[in-house]
Amino acid sequence: MKLDDPFPLEAVSSRVRAAVLYEFQGRCPSIREMTRIPDKQWLATPGIGRTALGEIRSVADDRPSSPAASAQVTDAELLERLEFLQKELQGIYTMLKGRMVEATRIDA
């Protein structure tokens, strides 16, 4: 995808799609337009929360990179990034597990 291509609205949830179309008065924006809107402004937009913003950024940033750019990342750097992400996921899992236990106690 190129920056001036239309933002692929079909790649986001219907809720996000509706919020984007509302923000752009019913027209499909370009990827460039989507990436130029700061997170703070998106989060002030009705229907856009952190999850929706994550969807937008994921789709907008999913442009193929040049082979030269991807070749600059070493295996060690990729492994380090993987380990970081695994720790992040484990932290999220632990937090959610704790909240589920807490919710179970409240319901009982």
Side-chain angles (χ1 to χ4, degrees):
M1 291 187 294
K2 297 177 183 164
L3 286 174
D4 291 322
D5 287 346
F7 182 81
L9 290 171
E10 68 281 354
V12 294
S13 66
S14 59
R15 190 186 89 229
V16 173
R17 186 177 317 122
V20 169
L21 289 172
Y22 177 82
E23 182 69 14
F24 286 91
Q25 291 81 42
R27 72 175 179 83
C28 180
S30 70
I31 294 171
R32 183 183 312 275
E33 289 175 299
M34 294 294 287
T35 59
R36 284 188 174 163
I37 297 177
D39 290 357
K40 187 174 182 177
Q41 183 178 340
W42 271 126
L43 292 171
T45 302
I48 302 291
R50 294 229 174 257
T51 303
L53 179 61
E55 275 187 65
I56 290 170
R57 293 299 181 220
S58 174
V59 172
D61 294 340
D62 193 26
R63 296 183 310 274
S65 60
S66 68
S70 61
Q72 294 174 355
V73 180
T74 66
D75 287 347
E77 290 169 326
L78 288 173
L79 184 58
E80 185 177 318
R81 179 72 176 147
L82 174 64
E83 290 170 351
F84 171 79
L85 291 172
Q86 287 174 328
K87 287 178 186 175
E88 286 284 311
L89 285 171
Q90 184 60 43
I92 292 168
Y93 173 78
T94 302
M95 179 189 68
L96 289 173
K97 189 174 178 182
R99 286 186 181 182
M100 287 174 52
V101 168
E102 185 178 310
T104 305
R105 288 182 190 154
I106 293 172
D107 291 340

PDB file of all heavy atoms in Angstrom, residues 64-96:
ATOM      1  N   PRO A  64       4.000  -2.496   3.067  1.00  0.00           N
ATOM      2  CA  PRO A  64       5.210  -3.284   2.859  1.00  0.00           C
ATOM      3  C   PRO A  64       6.440  -2.394   2.926  1.00  0.00           C
ATOM      4  O   PRO A  64       6.464  -1.319   2.344  1.00  0.00           O
ATOM      5  CB  PRO A  64       5.049  -3.865   1.450  1.00  0.00           C
ATOM      6  CG  PRO A  64       3.698  -3.488   0.971  1.00  0.00           C
ATOM      7  CD  PRO A  64       3.114  -2.501   1.928  1.00  0.00           C
ATOM      8  N   SER A  65       7.411  -2.843   3.660  1.00  0.00           N
ATOM      9  CA  SER A  65       8.644  -2.069   3.740  1.00  0.00           C
ATOM     10  C   SER A  65       9.585  -2.509   2.625  1.00  0.00           C
ATOM     11  O   SER A  65       9.429  -3.578   2.049  1.00  0.00           O
ATOM     12  CB  SER A  65       9.304  -2.265   5.099  1.00  0.00           C
ATOM     13  OG  SER A  65       9.592  -3.618   5.284  1.00  0.00           O
ATOM     14  N   SER A  66      10.554  -1.688   2.374  1.00  0.00           N
ATOM     15  CA  SER A  66      11.506  -2.035   1.317  1.00  0.00           C
ATOM     16  C   SER A  66      12.380  -3.192   1.787  1.00  0.00           C
ATOM     17  O   SER A  66      12.641  -3.331   2.980  1.00  0.00           O
ATOM     18  CB  SER A  66      12.375  -0.825   0.990  1.00  0.00           C
ATOM     19  OG  SER A  66      13.215  -0.522   2.079  1.00  0.00           O
ATOM     20  N   PRO A  67      12.852  -4.045   0.888  1.00  0.00           N
ATOM     21  CA  PRO A  67      13.699  -5.161   1.294  1.00  0.00           C
ATOM     22  C   PRO A  67      14.948  -4.688   2.023  1.00  0.00           C
ATOM     23  O   PRO A  67      15.411  -5.344   2.934  1.00  0.00           O
ATOM     24  CB  PRO A  67      14.065  -5.832  -0.031  1.00  0.00           C
ATOM     25  CG  PRO A  67      13.013  -5.417  -0.997  1.00  0.00           C
ATOM     26  CD  PRO A  67      12.545  -4.067  -0.530  1.00  0.00           C
ATOM     27  N   ALA A  68      15.479  -3.548   1.639  1.00  0.00           N
ATOM     28  CA  ALA A  68      16.685  -3.032   2.293  1.00  0.00           C
ATOM     29  C   ALA A  68      16.424  -2.711   3.759  1.00  0.00           C
ATOM     30  O   ALA A  68      17.251  -2.970   4.624  1.00  0.00           O
ATOM     31  CB  ALA A  68      17.183  -1.792   1.565  1.00  0.00           C
ATOM     32  N   ALA A  69      15.226  -2.163   4.057  1.00  0.00           N
ATOM     33  CA  ALA A  69      14.907  -1.808   5.439  1.00  0.00           C
ATOM     34  C   ALA A  69      14.766  -3.054   6.304  1.00  0.00           C
ATOM     35  O   ALA A  69      15.239  -3.091   7.433  1.00  0.00           O
ATOM     36  CB  ALA A  69      13.627  -0.995   5.479  1.00  0.00           C
ATOM     37  N   SER A  70      14.124  -4.090   5.787  1.00  0.00           N
ATOM     38  CA  SER A  70      13.951  -5.297   6.590  1.00  0.00           C
ATOM     39  C   SER A  70      15.251  -6.077   6.738  1.00  0.00           C
ATOM     40  O   SER A  70      15.446  -6.798   7.700  1.00  0.00           O
ATOM     41  CB  SER A  70      12.857  -6.180   5.992  1.00  0.00           C
ATOM     42  OG  SER A  70      13.222  -6.579   4.696  1.00  0.00           O
ATOM     43  N   ALA A  71      16.160  -5.936   5.788  1.00  0.00           N
ATOM     44  CA  ALA A  71      17.432  -6.644   5.864  1.00  0.00           C
ATOM     45  C   ALA A  71      18.345  -6.061   6.939  1.00  0.00           C
ATOM     46  O   ALA A  71      19.293  -6.708   7.361  1.00  0.00           O
ATOM     47  CB  ALA A  71      18.140  -6.600   4.514  1.00  0.00           C
ATOM     48  N   GLN A  72      18.041  -4.861   7.416  1.00  0.00           N
ATOM     49  CA  GLN A  72      18.879  -4.220   8.415  1.00  0.00           C
ATOM     50  C   GLN A  72      18.628  -4.760   9.818  1.00  0.00           C
ATOM     51  O   GLN A  72      19.424  -4.528  10.716  1.00  0.00           O
ATOM     52  CB  GLN A  72      18.652  -2.707   8.397  1.00  0.00           C
ATOM     53  CG  GLN A  72      19.124  -2.051   7.116  1.00  0.00           C
ATOM     54  CD  GLN A  72      18.749  -0.587   7.058  1.00  0.00           C
ATOM     55  OE1 GLN A  72      18.066  -0.077   7.925  1.00  0.00           O
ATOM     56  NE2 GLN A  72      19.211   0.088   6.024  1.00  0.00           N
ATOM     57  N   VAL A  73      17.544  -5.481  10.027  1.00  0.00           N
ATOM     58  CA  VAL A  73      17.223  -6.041  11.333  1.00  0.00           C
ATOM     59  C   VAL A  73      17.903  -7.396  11.450  1.00  0.00           C
ATOM     60  O   VAL A  73      17.685  -8.284  10.636  1.00  0.00           O
ATOM     61  CB  VAL A  73      15.695  -6.187  11.512  1.00  0.00           C
ATOM     62  CG1 VAL A  73      15.380  -6.769  12.871  1.00  0.00           C
ATOM     63  CG2 VAL A  73      15.007  -4.852  11.319  1.00  0.00           C
ATOM     64  N   THR A  74      18.713  -7.538  12.485  1.00  0.00           N
ATOM     65  CA  THR A  74      19.433  -8.797  12.660  1.00  0.00           C
ATOM     66  C   THR A  74      18.560  -9.826  13.355  1.00  0.00           C
ATOM     67  O   THR A  74      17.543  -9.489  13.974  1.00  0.00           O
ATOM     68  CB  THR A  74      20.706  -8.582  13.501  1.00  0.00           C
ATOM     69  OG1 THR A  74      20.303  -8.205  14.832  1.00  0.00           O
ATOM     70  CG2 THR A  74      21.605  -7.511  12.900  1.00  0.00           C
ATOM     71  N   ASP A  75      18.972 -11.070  13.266  1.00  0.00           N
ATOM     72  CA  ASP A  75      18.255 -12.144  13.956  1.00  0.00           C
ATOM     73  C   ASP A  75      18.249 -11.897  15.463  1.00  0.00           C
ATOM     74  O   ASP A  75      17.244 -12.145  16.136  1.00  0.00           O
ATOM     75  CB  ASP A  75      18.892 -13.497  13.654  1.00  0.00           C
ATOM     76  CG  ASP A  75      18.618 -13.968  12.237  1.00  0.00           C
ATOM     77  OD1 ASP A  75      17.742 -13.378  11.566  1.00  0.00           O
ATOM     78  OD2 ASP A  75      19.278 -14.925  11.793  1.00  0.00           O
ATOM     79  N   ALA A  76      19.351 -11.402  15.984  1.00  0.00           N
ATOM     80  CA  ALA A  76      19.441 -11.125  17.424  1.00  0.00           C
ATOM     81  C   ALA A  76      18.434 -10.052  17.829  1.00  0.00           C
ATOM     82  O   ALA A  76      17.786 -10.163  18.875  1.00  0.00           O
ATOM     83  CB  ALA A  76      20.857 -10.690  17.781  1.00  0.00           C
ATOM     84  N   GLU A  77      18.279  -9.034  16.999  1.00  0.00           N
ATOM     85  CA  GLU A  77      17.306  -7.981  17.296  1.00  0.00           C
ATOM     86  C   GLU A  77      15.885  -8.516  17.237  1.00  0.00           C
ATOM     87  O   GLU A  77      15.044  -8.170  18.076  1.00  0.00           O
ATOM     88  CB  GLU A  77      17.476  -6.811  16.316  1.00  0.00           C
ATOM     89  CG  GLU A  77      18.762  -6.022  16.528  1.00  0.00           C
ATOM     90  CD  GLU A  77      19.041  -5.039  15.401  1.00  0.00           C
ATOM     91  OE1 GLU A  77      18.703  -5.350  14.239  1.00  0.00           O
ATOM     92  OE2 GLU A  77      19.585  -3.967  15.700  1.00  0.00           O
ATOM     93  N   LEU A  78      15.614  -9.370  16.253  1.00  0.00           N
ATOM     94  CA  LEU A  78      14.290  -9.973  16.151  1.00  0.00           C
ATOM     95  C   LEU A  78      13.999 -10.863  17.355  1.00  0.00           C
ATOM     96  O   LEU A  78      12.891 -10.852  17.897  1.00  0.00           O
ATOM     97  CB  LEU A  78      14.169 -10.781  14.859  1.00  0.00           C
ATOM     98  CG  LEU A  78      14.088  -9.964  13.571  1.00  0.00           C
ATOM     99  CD1 LEU A  78      14.156 -10.898  12.359  1.00  0.00           C
ATOM    100  CD2 LEU A  78      12.828  -9.126  13.528  1.00  0.00           C
ATOM    101  N   LEU A  79      14.976 -11.619  17.784  1.00  0.00           N
ATOM    102  CA  LEU A  79      14.810 -12.483  18.950  1.00  0.00           C
ATOM    103  C   LEU A  79      14.573 -11.656  20.207  1.00  0.00           C
ATOM    104  O   LEU A  79      13.705 -11.983  21.028  1.00  0.00           O
ATOM    105  CB  LEU A  79      16.035 -13.382  19.118  1.00  0.00           C
ATOM    106  CG  LEU A  79      15.968 -14.404  20.244  1.00  0.00           C
ATOM    107  CD1 LEU A  79      14.761 -15.325  20.062  1.00  0.00           C
ATOM    108  CD2 LEU A  79      17.242 -15.224  20.296  1.00  0.00           C
ATOM    109  N   GLU A  80      15.301 -10.571  20.340  1.00  0.00           N
ATOM    110  CA  GLU A  80      15.127  -9.680  21.487  1.00  0.00           C
ATOM    111  C   GLU A  80      13.715  -9.098  21.497  1.00  0.00           C
ATOM    112  O   GLU A  80      13.060  -9.041  22.530  1.00  0.00           O
ATOM    113  CB  GLU A  80      16.159  -8.551  21.413  1.00  0.00           C
ATOM    114  CG  GLU A  80      16.150  -7.621  22.610  1.00  0.00           C
ATOM    115  CD  GLU A  80      17.238  -6.572  22.501  1.00  0.00           C
ATOM    116  OE1 GLU A  80      18.368  -6.910  22.098  1.00  0.00           O
ATOM    117  OE2 GLU A  80      16.940  -5.405  22.823  1.00  0.00           O
ATOM    118  N   ARG A  81      13.228  -8.711  20.329  1.00  0.00           N
ATOM    119  CA  ARG A  81      11.876  -8.162  20.214  1.00  0.00           C
ATOM    120  C   ARG A  81      10.835  -9.232  20.555  1.00  0.00           C
ATOM    121  O   ARG A  81       9.859  -8.961  21.260  1.00  0.00           O
ATOM    122  CB  ARG A  81      11.664  -7.637  18.786  1.00  0.00           C
ATOM    123  CG  ARG A  81      10.312  -7.067  18.533  1.00  0.00           C
ATOM    124  CD  ARG A  81      10.127  -5.741  19.221  1.00  0.00           C
ATOM    125  NE  ARG A  81       8.832  -5.200  18.873  1.00  0.00           N
ATOM    126  CZ  ARG A  81       8.095  -4.457  19.676  1.00  0.00           C
ATOM    127  NH1 ARG A  81       8.556  -4.119  20.851  1.00  0.00           N
ATOM    128  NH2 ARG A  81       6.931  -4.017  19.305  1.00  0.00           N
ATOM    129  N   LEU A  82      11.052 -10.449  20.074  1.00  0.00           N
ATOM    130  CA  LEU A  82      10.141 -11.549  20.377  1.00  0.00           C
ATOM    131  C   LEU A  82      10.075 -11.802  21.880  1.00  0.00           C
ATOM    132  O   LEU A  82       8.994 -11.956  22.451  1.00  0.00           O
ATOM    133  CB  LEU A  82      10.587 -12.820  19.647  1.00  0.00           C
ATOM    134  CG  LEU A  82       9.816 -14.095  19.985  1.00  0.00           C
ATOM    135  CD1 LEU A  82       8.357 -13.973  19.571  1.00  0.00           C
ATOM    136  CD2 LEU A  82      10.463 -15.290  19.318  1.00  0.00           C
ATOM    137  N   GLU A  83      11.226 -11.831  22.532  1.00  0.00           N
ATOM    138  CA  GLU A  83      11.262 -12.066  23.973  1.00  0.00           C
ATOM    139  C   GLU A  83      10.544 -10.951  24.730  1.00  0.00           C
ATOM    140  O   GLU A  83       9.814 -11.209  25.687  1.00  0.00           O
ATOM    141  CB  GLU A  83      12.708 -12.209  24.445  1.00  0.00           C
ATOM    142  CG  GLU A  83      13.352 -13.499  23.972  1.00  0.00           C
ATOM    143  CD  GLU A  83      14.851 -13.558  24.214  1.00  0.00           C
ATOM    144  OE1 GLU A  83      15.457 -12.547  24.602  1.00  0.00           O
ATOM    145  OE2 GLU A  83      15.417 -14.646  23.993  1.00  0.00           O
ATOM    146  N   PHE A  84      10.722  -9.708  24.276  1.00  0.00           N
ATOM    147  CA  PHE A  84      10.033  -8.579  24.895  1.00  0.00           C
ATOM    148  C   PHE A  84       8.518  -8.746  24.765  1.00  0.00           C
ATOM    149  O   PHE A  84       7.774  -8.573  25.729  1.00  0.00           O
ATOM    150  CB  PHE A  84      10.487  -7.265  24.239  1.00  0.00           C
ATOM    151  CG  PHE A  84       9.679  -6.075  24.666  1.00  0.00           C
ATOM    152  CD1 PHE A  84       9.920  -5.460  25.886  1.00  0.00           C
ATOM    153  CD2 PHE A  84       8.665  -5.577  23.861  1.00  0.00           C
ATOM    154  CE1 PHE A  84       9.164  -4.366  26.292  1.00  0.00           C
ATOM    155  CE2 PHE A  84       7.909  -4.487  24.253  1.00  0.00           C
ATOM    156  CZ  PHE A  84       8.158  -3.877  25.476  1.00  0.00           C
ATOM    157  N   LEU A  85       8.069  -9.093  23.571  1.00  0.00           N
ATOM    158  CA  LEU A  85       6.635  -9.268  23.338  1.00  0.00           C
ATOM    159  C   LEU A  85       6.067 -10.426  24.150  1.00  0.00           C
ATOM    160  O   LEU A  85       4.945 -10.348  24.669  1.00  0.00           O
ATOM    161  CB  LEU A  85       6.359  -9.470  21.848  1.00  0.00           C
ATOM    162  CG  LEU A  85       6.590  -8.236  20.972  1.00  0.00           C
ATOM    163  CD1 LEU A  85       6.476  -8.608  19.498  1.00  0.00           C
ATOM    164  CD2 LEU A  85       5.624  -7.128  21.328  1.00  0.00           C
ATOM    165  N   GLN A  86       6.840 -11.500  24.288  1.00  0.00           N
ATOM    166  CA  GLN A  86       6.383 -12.631  25.092  1.00  0.00           C
ATOM    167  C   GLN A  86       6.229 -12.221  26.558  1.00  0.00           C
ATOM    168  O   GLN A  86       5.264 -12.624  27.220  1.00  0.00           O
ATOM    169  CB  GLN A  86       7.350 -13.804  24.960  1.00  0.00           C
ATOM    170  CG  GLN A  86       7.246 -14.494  23.608  1.00  0.00           C
ATOM    171  CD  GLN A  86       8.296 -15.577  23.408  1.00  0.00           C
ATOM    172  OE1 GLN A  86       9.410 -15.478  23.918  1.00  0.00           O
ATOM    173  NE2 GLN A  86       7.930 -16.585  22.637  1.00  0.00           N
ATOM    174  N   LYS A  87       7.143 -11.409  27.067  1.00  0.00           N
ATOM    175  CA  LYS A  87       7.035 -10.916  28.443  1.00  0.00           C
ATOM    176  C   LYS A  87       5.812 -10.016  28.594  1.00  0.00           C
ATOM    177  O   LYS A  87       5.099 -10.081  29.590  1.00  0.00           O
ATOM    178  CB  LYS A  87       8.300 -10.168  28.843  1.00  0.00           C
ATOM    179  CG  LYS A  87       9.485 -11.073  29.089  1.00  0.00           C
ATOM    180  CD  LYS A  87      10.722 -10.280  29.443  1.00  0.00           C
ATOM    181  CE  LYS A  87      11.933 -11.189  29.541  1.00  0.00           C
ATOM    182  NZ  LYS A  87      13.179 -10.440  29.765  1.00  0.00           N
ATOM    183  N   GLU A  88       5.578  -9.171  27.597  1.00  0.00           N
ATOM    184  CA  GLU A  88       4.397  -8.299  27.615  1.00  0.00           C
ATOM    185  C   GLU A  88       3.114  -9.129  27.656  1.00  0.00           C
ATOM    186  O   GLU A  88       2.211  -8.851  28.435  1.00  0.00           O
ATOM    187  CB  GLU A  88       4.383  -7.396  26.377  1.00  0.00           C
ATOM    188  CG  GLU A  88       5.386  -6.278  26.407  1.00  0.00           C
ATOM    189  CD  GLU A  88       4.955  -5.146  27.312  1.00  0.00           C
ATOM    190  OE1 GLU A  88       3.807  -4.690  27.210  1.00  0.00           O
ATOM    191  OE2 GLU A  88       5.787  -4.726  28.138  1.00  0.00           O
ATOM    192  N   LEU A  89       3.042 -10.141  26.798  1.00  0.00           N
ATOM    193  CA  LEU A  89       1.862 -11.010  26.763  1.00  0.00           C
ATOM    194  C   LEU A  89       1.670 -11.746  28.089  1.00  0.00           C
ATOM    195  O   LEU A  89       0.547 -11.899  28.570  1.00  0.00           O
ATOM    196  CB  LEU A  89       1.961 -12.009  25.611  1.00  0.00           C
ATOM    197  CG  LEU A  89       1.712 -11.428  24.228  1.00  0.00           C
ATOM    198  CD1 LEU A  89       2.050 -12.458  23.150  1.00  0.00           C
ATOM    199  CD2 LEU A  89       0.277 -10.958  24.082  1.00  0.00           C
ATOM    200  N   GLN A  90       2.757 -12.207  28.674  1.00  0.00           N
ATOM    201  CA  GLN A  90       2.663 -12.897  29.958  1.00  0.00           C
ATOM    202  C   GLN A  90       2.147 -11.949  31.030  1.00  0.00           C
ATOM    203  O   GLN A  90       1.315 -12.327  31.858  1.00  0.00           O
ATOM    204  CB  GLN A  90       4.028 -13.479  30.369  1.00  0.00           C
ATOM    205  CG  GLN A  90       3.981 -14.295  31.640  1.00  0.00           C
ATOM    206  CD  GLN A  90       3.049 -15.492  31.551  1.00  0.00           C
ATOM    207  OE1 GLN A  90       3.030 -16.188  30.560  1.00  0.00           O
ATOM    208  NE2 GLN A  90       2.267 -15.721  32.587  1.00  0.00           N
ATOM    209  N   GLY A  91       2.598 -10.701  31.001  1.00  0.00           N
ATOM    210  CA  GLY A  91       2.111  -9.704  31.957  1.00  0.00           C
ATOM    211  C   GLY A  91       0.622  -9.439  31.790  1.00  0.00           C
ATOM    212  O   GLY A  91      -0.123  -9.333  32.771  1.00  0.00           O
ATOM    213  N   ILE A  92       0.177  -9.343  30.557  1.00  0.00           N
ATOM    214  CA  ILE A  92      -1.241  -9.124  30.281  1.00  0.00           C
ATOM    215  C   ILE A  92      -2.057 -10.326  30.752  1.00  0.00           C
ATOM    216  O   ILE A  92      -3.101 -10.182  31.386  1.00  0.00           O
ATOM    217  CB  ILE A  92      -1.473  -8.855  28.782  1.00  0.00           C
ATOM    218  CG1 ILE A  92      -0.861  -7.507  28.394  1.00  0.00           C
ATOM    219  CG2 ILE A  92      -2.963  -8.898  28.429  1.00  0.00           C
ATOM    220  CD1 ILE A  92      -0.777  -7.267  26.903  1.00  0.00           C
ATOM    221  N   TYR A  93      -1.557 -11.533  30.468  1.00  0.00           N
ATOM    222  CA  TYR A  93      -2.231 -12.758  30.904  1.00  0.00           C
ATOM    223  C   TYR A  93      -2.366 -12.784  32.421  1.00  0.00           C
ATOM    224  O   TYR A  93      -3.437 -13.071  32.960  1.00  0.00           O
ATOM    225  CB  TYR A  93      -1.464 -13.979  30.408  1.00  0.00           C
ATOM    226  CG  TYR A  93      -1.990 -15.285  30.947  1.00  0.00           C
ATOM    227  CD1 TYR A  93      -3.133 -15.868  30.427  1.00  0.00           C
ATOM    228  CD2 TYR A  93      -1.341 -15.927  31.999  1.00  0.00           C
ATOM    229  CE1 TYR A  93      -3.618 -17.056  30.933  1.00  0.00           C
ATOM    230  CE2 TYR A  93      -1.823 -17.115  32.512  1.00  0.00           C
ATOM    231  CZ  TYR A  93      -2.965 -17.682  31.981  1.00  0.00           C
ATOM    232  OH  TYR A  93      -3.442 -18.851  32.491  1.00  0.00           O
ATOM    233  N   THR A  94      -1.302 -12.471  33.119  1.00  0.00           N
ATOM    234  CA  THR A  94      -1.305 -12.478  34.585  1.00  0.00           C
ATOM    235  C   THR A  94      -2.305 -11.462  35.122  1.00  0.00           C
ATOM    236  O   THR A  94      -3.062 -11.747  36.053  1.00  0.00           O
ATOM    237  CB  THR A  94       0.113 -12.191  35.114  1.00  0.00           C
ATOM    238  OG1 THR A  94       1.009 -13.179  34.600  1.00  0.00           O
ATOM    239  CG2 THR A  94       0.155 -12.201  36.628  1.00  0.00           C
ATOM    240  N   MET A  95      -2.317 -10.265  34.519  1.00  0.00           N
ATOM    241  CA  MET A  95      -3.244  -9.225  34.950  1.00  0.00           C
ATOM    242  C   MET A  95      -4.692  -9.666  34.738  1.00  0.00           C
ATOM    243  O   MET A  95      -5.534  -9.530  35.624  1.00  0.00           O
ATOM    244  CB  MET A  95      -2.980  -7.930  34.188  1.00  0.00           C
ATOM    245  CG  MET A  95      -3.918  -6.796  34.563  1.00  0.00           C
ATOM    246  SD  MET A  95      -3.756  -5.372  33.492  1.00  0.00           S
ATOM    247  CE  MET A  95      -4.393  -6.040  31.960  1.00  0.00           C
ATOM    248  N   LEU A  96      -4.983 -10.229  33.565  1.00  0.00           N
ATOM    249  CA  LEU A  96      -6.345 -10.675  33.274  1.00  0.00           C
ATOM    250  C   LEU A  96      -6.771 -11.820  34.195  1.00  0.00           C
ATOM    251  O   LEU A  96      -7.910 -11.868  34.658  1.00  0.00           O
ATOM    252  CB  LEU A  96      -6.474 -11.102  31.819  1.00  0.00           C
ATOM    253  CG  LEU A  96      -6.437  -9.969  30.796  1.00  0.00           C
ATOM    254  CD1 LEU A  96      -6.406 -10.530  29.387  1.00  0.00           C
ATOM    255  CD2 LEU A  96      -7.620  -9.043  30.981  1.00  0.00           C
TER     256      LEU A  96
END
